[in-house]
Amino acid sequence: MFEKILIANRGEIAARVIDTCRRMGVATVAVYSEADAASRHVAMADEAVLIGGPAPRDSYLRGDAIIQAALDTGAQAIHPGYGFLSENPDFVDAVTDAGLVFIGPTADAIRKMGLKDAAKALMEQAGVPVVPGYHGADQDPAHLARQAERIGYPVLIKAVAGGGGKGMRLVERPQDFQDALASAQGEAQTAFGNPAVLIEKYIQQPRHIEVQVFGDGTRAVHLFERDCSLQRRHQKVIEEAPAPGMTPEMRKVMGAAAVRAAEAIRYRGAGTIEFIVDGSDGLRPDRFWFMEMNTRLQVEHPVTELITGVDLVEWQLRVASGEFLPKRQEDLHINGHAFEARLYAEDVPAGFLPATGQLAHLAFPETARIETGVRPGDTISPWYDPMIAKIVTHGATRAIALRALESALVDTEVAGTTTNLEFLIALTRHPGFRKGQVDTGLIGRDLETLTAAAAPDPRARALAVLGLAGLDDPNVRGGITLWQPLRRTVAWQGGQAVVEVLGPGAARVTLDDSSHDILWRGDRWWVDGSPRRSRIINHAAGTSVFGGRSLTLVPADPLDRAGAETGGGLTLSPMPGLVKAIFVAAGDQVAAGDRLAVLEAMKMEHTLTAARDGTVAEVLASAGDQVEAGAPLIRLAEDEETAA
Ligand code: ADP
Ligand code: ADP
Ligand code: MG
C-alpha cells in the first residue's frame, strides 16, 4: 500500500478520498488554487501545495504543476477524483513517465473509451448492445442527414468527444437536422476542440441505468446498477441503487455486458458503463444499450457503496498499489436501497442559474451520509461547480431510503446562498418517483409543479421575525426563563413587523396582513396553535427559519437601496460564469433579441440577447473574463447619447 498520495482535485471528492486515506493510514497531499487556500480539502490533508490561480486552466488542469507537487512532497501516487484531469490520457502518461502511479485506468483504456464513436465500435465487437445509430468517420452533412433518415426520427446528435450533455441535440424532424447539426458541431468545437458528431436513435422515455465495474487489469466484477434517470437537461439530480423494477434476469444480463465491456479493454480501477434503457414496457433484457463508459470514480458512487458495503476508494488504492480485486463476483451482494441528492447553490426559479455566496450557516442531519467540500463560513465561488454537498441515505427498502432522503433534506440548513433544496424535496414527494416510475423526461415534464414557488408562509416569517428580534433562544430568553414583556418594531430588507412578548415563552408577531401567536412548549415551536418542525437560526447574514421551506430575513440596512433601474440599456451577467464570446462592438446597431454575448456557467452555455433595439455604447467585458453575477457586460446608448 502507498504511504502517501496526492489528490489532484478539490471540493467534496478530494475530501472523500482523504477520508478513506486517513482510515487506511495513507498520508495525503492536497493541491489547491489561490481561490481554495482556505477550503475544507486543504484543511483535511496532511500537506497542501498551492498550484496556481483560481481558473482551472491555471491550477487543477495543470498536470505539470501537479506532478511536480507530488515529486516535491514524496507522494507515490496521484488520485484524480472526477472532472479536471481524471479522464485525460496524456496526464496519465505524464504521471507514469514521472515514476508515479496513476490511481485509475491506463492511458490506453481511457483513450479507447474517450471518444464515444470509437467506444461504441469497440463495444459492438465485444458483443455489448449499443444504441442503433451512425458512428462513422464521414462527417459530410448530407451523409449524416441520410444516416439520420436511415436510423429514423427522432434522432440524437452527440459530440463524439462530448460530456456533460454538451454538443448534444435532439432532432425530431428532418427539416430541423442541418441547423441542429451546425449548432452541435459549433458547441463541440468550442467545448472539446473536436466538432465530430455521431447520430443515435433517440430512445423515447428512456431510463439511464449504469453499472459500476471494477477491474484489476485482467479480471473485472460489477457492483450492480445505479438508476440515474432523474435528470435535468441530461444532468443527474438524484441517483439511486439498485434500479427500481430491476429483475434478477435483467441485472444478470446487464452486469455481464458491463463486465465484458471492462474486460475487453483490460480495465483497471473503478469505472462505469452507462446504458440507456427502454423501460416503456418494464425492464427487459433485450432493451438496454451501451451509451458510454466513464473511466473514473463517478459522482454518484456512494449509493453503490451503501448497498454493497464496499469502499470504492479503498479498492482503487488497493488495486493501484498492485493488489488483485478484493472480492469475487459471487461475494458481492445488494443490501437495501440508497439514494443520493446533489445539493447545489443554484437559483431554481431563475432557471437553475448557478449561484455564489458565503455560507452564513450550514448544517446537515446526522441521519444521512454527507459528502461535502465546504464548511460553515466557506464561500461558493464562481470558479467551480457550485455543488454544496451530496446527501446520501440508505434504508432496508426503497420506500424507507426515500423517506430518509426526504427527511434529511428537510433537516438540511443552508443560509447565505440560494439552493436547489426545495426542488430536491419536491422531487422526493413526486408521486411517480415515489412509485419508482422514472425516466429521463420526468423532471422536464413536471418542471412547473416541481419548481412552483410555494405560497408565502406567514407563520414561518413570524418565527423569523422572532429570531431577528433576538427572542428565539427559548432557553435563554424564553421558555422557562421569563421573556420580558416587550413591544417593538423589527425591520428587515423588504418589510417590518411588530413583536410583542406576552409572557414566558409566548409572543405575538404582527405582519402586514396577519398576526400570529407563538409559543415555545415541549421543545418545539407552536404557531397559531400548531406544532412546527421549524428551527430558527441567527447567523452572519440574518435570521433563517429551516424545516422544509426555509426563509431568511436580512436585517434592514439603511444604506441599502433598490437595484439601479437599467431600463434595458445594461446587460448584466445573470450568474457567475466565463464570458465565452462577445458578438458586438461599440457603435454597433442591435435589435431586440439579437445575440450580444455567450456566457458559460455550470457546463452550459447561455446566450445573452439585447432587451431592446439600440446602439452599443460600451462593451464592458471581453471573452475569457470570469464575471460575477450582476457584472455589467454591455451597455446600450440612451436615446440622447445616440442623438449626440
Ligand atoms: P454525457 O457524456 O453528457 O454524459 P451521455 O451519452 O452519457 O452523455 O448521455 C447523457 C444523457 O443523455 C443520458 O443520461 C440520457 O438522459 C440522454 N441520452 C443519451 N443518449 C440518449 C438516447 N439515445 N436516447 C435518449 N436519451 C439519450
Ligand atoms: P456524471 O458523473 O454525472 O456523469 P459528468 O460526466 O458530466 O457527470 O461530469 C462528472 C462530474 O465532474 C460532474 O458532475 C462535475 O461535478 C464534475 N465536473 C465536470 N466538469 C468539471 C470541470 N470542468 N471541473 C471540475 N469538475 C467538473
Ligand atoms: Mg454520460
Side-chain angles (χ1 to χ4, degrees):
M1 182 48 56
F2 308 114
E3 273 151 35
K4 189 193 274 191
I5 71 161
L6 178 143
I7 297 120
N9 215 301
R10 64 178 302 282
E12 68 88 14
I13 192 62
R16 159 76 192 88
V17 174
I18 294 172
D19 277 335
T20 289
C21 289
R22 186 168 292 164
R23 190 173 59 66
M24 294 175 70
V26 175
T28 53
V29 181
V31 291
Y32 64 98
S33 72
E34 283 157 12
D36 278 341
S39 70
R40 179 166 187 256
H41 80 279
V42 172
M44 285 174 69
D46 297 310
E47 289 168 74
V49 180
L50 174 67
I51 47 167
R57 67 172 176 278
D58 296 330
S59 47
Y60 299 107
L61 290 173
R62 280 189 57 203
D64 55 344
I66 291 170
I67 291 169
Q68 193 56 51
L71 295 171
D72 291 347
T73 53
Q76 299 151 301
I78 296 184
H79 192 300
Y82 56 71
F84 297 128
L85 294 165
S86 61
E87 295 180 278
N88 182 328
D90 297 336
F91 177 65
V92 179
D93 281 335
V95 169
T96 318
D97 290 347
L100 302 167
V101 176
F102 180 77
I103 302 175
T106 59
D108 176 60
I110 296 178
R111 284 196 181 98
K112 287 197 165 109
M113 289 297 182
L115 294 178
K116 290 183 202 263
D117 54 346
K120 288 204 161 96
L122 187 74
M123 289 301 101
E124 262 177 334
Q125 283 169 27
V128 177
V130 306
V131 188
Y134 173 76
H135 36 82
D138 189 346
Q139 295 287 310
D140 172 50
H143 176 74
L144 291 174
R146 279 194 301 279
Q147 291 299 328
E149 291 284 355
R150 176 186 62 79
I151 295 161
Y153 283 88
V155 298
L156 199 59
I157 304 175
K158 280 188 192 180
V160 302
K166 261 195 194 161
M168 203 186 280
R169 293 288 183 283
L170 166 62
V171 194
E172 309 202 59
R173 308 173 309 170
Q175 58 266 44
D176 299 332
F177 185 82
Q178 291 303 342
D179 279 354
L181 177 65
S183 91
Q185 287 171 326
E187 196 170 296
Q189 176 63 44
T190 323
F192 314 110
N194 177 353
V197 297
L198 57 84
I199 318 281
E200 261 179 27
K201 176 87 194 151
Y202 181 72
I203 313 294
Q204 311 268 4
Q205 290 210 6
R207 288 174 62 173
H208 173 122
I209 301 181
E210 56 186 36
V211 179
Q212 175 72 53
V213 292
F214 214 105
D216 61 12
T218 14
R219 237 160 37 88
V221 293
H222 71 84
L223 291 97
F224 314 105
E225 77 282 357
R226 294 183 287 257
D227 194 312
C228 310
S229 301
L230 241 46
Q231 304 182 345
R232 198 188 74 88
R233 299 210 192 163
H234 308 308
Q235 297 291 323
K236 299 159 187 170
V237 178
I238 293 183
E239 303 98 342
E240 61 180 304
M246 180 58 78
T247 61
E249 185 197 12
M250 172 99 167
R251 175 172 295 133
K252 209 167 156 200
V253 176
M254 284 185 88
V259 167
R260 262 202 315 283
E263 289 184 345
I265 54 168
R266 305 177 61 81
Y267 196 74
R268 186 188 68 205
T272 294
I273 315 284
E274 295 189 332
F275 294 104
I276 189 115
V277 177
D278 177 352
S280 56
D281 198 13
L283 293 178
R284 298 170 42 164
D286 59 346
R287 300 226 181 137
F288 73 93
W289 302 275
F290 172 85
M291 259 192 314
E292 66 167 342
M293 177 169 190
N294 293 322
T295 50
R296 53 169 159 84
L297 193 66
Q298 201 98 335
V299 176
E300 57 273 21
H301 75 277
V303 293
T304 298
E305 297 187 319
L306 290 187
I307 63 157
T308 57
V310 167
D311 179 335
L312 287 167
V313 175
E314 178 191 325
W315 278 33
Q316 286 188 300
L317 295 179
R318 290 174 62 179
V319 167
S321 69
E323 289 183 35
F324 293 118
L325 279 177
K327 282 192 173 174
R328 293 171 307 176
Q329 190 68 56
E330 53 271 34
D331 299 330
L332 289 160
H333 304 284
I334 297 180
N335 167 29
H337 205 101
F339 284 93
E340 173 185 284
R342 300 184 184 196
L343 177 65
Y344 279 102
E346 62 185 12
D347 189 344
V348 171
F352 295 84
L353 292 184
T356 54
Q358 191 179 14
L359 299 165
H361 176 77
L362 180 67
F364 298 104
E366 281 173 10
T367 52
R369 168 170 162 184
I370 305 298
E371 298 293 342
T372 182
V374 290
R375 299 153 300 184
D378 285 355
T379 299
I380 304 290
S381 82
W383 295 103
Y384 312 108
D385 181 322
M387 184 192 275
I388 298 172
K390 303 186 305 203
I391 295 166
V392 199
T393 58
H394 182 254
T397 66
R398 184 174 189 273
I400 294 171
L402 185 52
R403 282 202 183 275
L405 180 66
E406 177 189 358
S407 173
L409 291 168
V410 168
D411 288 338
T412 292
E413 305 176 343
V414 190
T417 183
T418 167
T419 74
N420 65 345
L421 192 57
E422 285 181 22
F423 171 65
L424 295 174
I425 294 172
L427 270 172
T428 64
R429 296 174 177 166
H430 183 281
F433 179 46
R434 286 221 157 172
K435 286 189 212 136
Q437 294 164 349
V438 291
D439 70 83
T440 63
L442 181 147
I443 290 180
R445 279 193 305 276
D446 293 337
L447 196 63
E448 222 169 299
T449 338
L450 289 167
T451 58
D457 179 358
R459 290 176 177 153
R461 182 169 296 255
L463 285 172
V465 169
L466 206 62
L468 214 52
L471 294 167
D472 58 295
D473 190 335
N475 298 315
V476 177
R477 302 185 187 91
I480 308 302
T481 316
L482 284 188
W483 273 348
Q484 301 303 311
L486 174 93
R487 183 191 157 88
R488 55 181 276 217
T489 300
V490 176
W492 63 91
Q493 290 182 20
Q496 60 174 39
V498 174
V499 186
E500 292 166 88
V501 172
L502 305 174
R508 176 170 301 142
V509 174
T510 304
L511 303 168
D512 280 347
D513 302 319
S514 54
S515 183
H516 304 279
D517 286 322
I518 301 177
L519 289 175
W520 175 262
R521 294 287 182 273
D523 274 349
R524 62 166 72 210
W525 296 104
W526 297 67
V527 184
D528 298 336
S530 304
R532 312 204 26 132
R533 192 168 176 168
S534 310
R535 302 171 299 283
I536 307 174
I537 309 276
N538 285 310
H539 48 70
T543 297
S544 298
V545 169
F546 297 110
R549 296 225 344 255
S550 64
L551 171 93
T552 296
L553 297 183
V554 179
D557 174 350
L559 296 179
D560 186 64
R561 51 178 181 78
E565 178 52 57
T566 67
L570 205 52
T571 300
L572 306 177
S573 173
M575 69 199 106
L578 175 75
V579 179
K580 292 287 284 200
I582 301 263
F583 301 115
V584 292
D588 286 0
Q589 288 292 127
V590 294
D594 281 1
R595 290 196 313 166
L596 300 178
V598 171
L599 193 73
E600 182 187 83
M602 259 306 273
K603 302 194 270 181
M604 310 262 291
E605 291 189 359
H606 306 265
T607 302
L608 306 178
T609 55
R612 60 164 166 84
D613 297 354
T615 308
V616 175
E618 271 183 291
V619 175
L620 301 155
S622 23
D625 287 357
Q626 185 75 37
V627 293
E628 295 277 356
L633 303 180
I634 283 152
R635 189 171 68 81
L636 297 186
E638 298 304 326
D639 289 345
E640 56 274 28
E641 256 180 287
T642 329

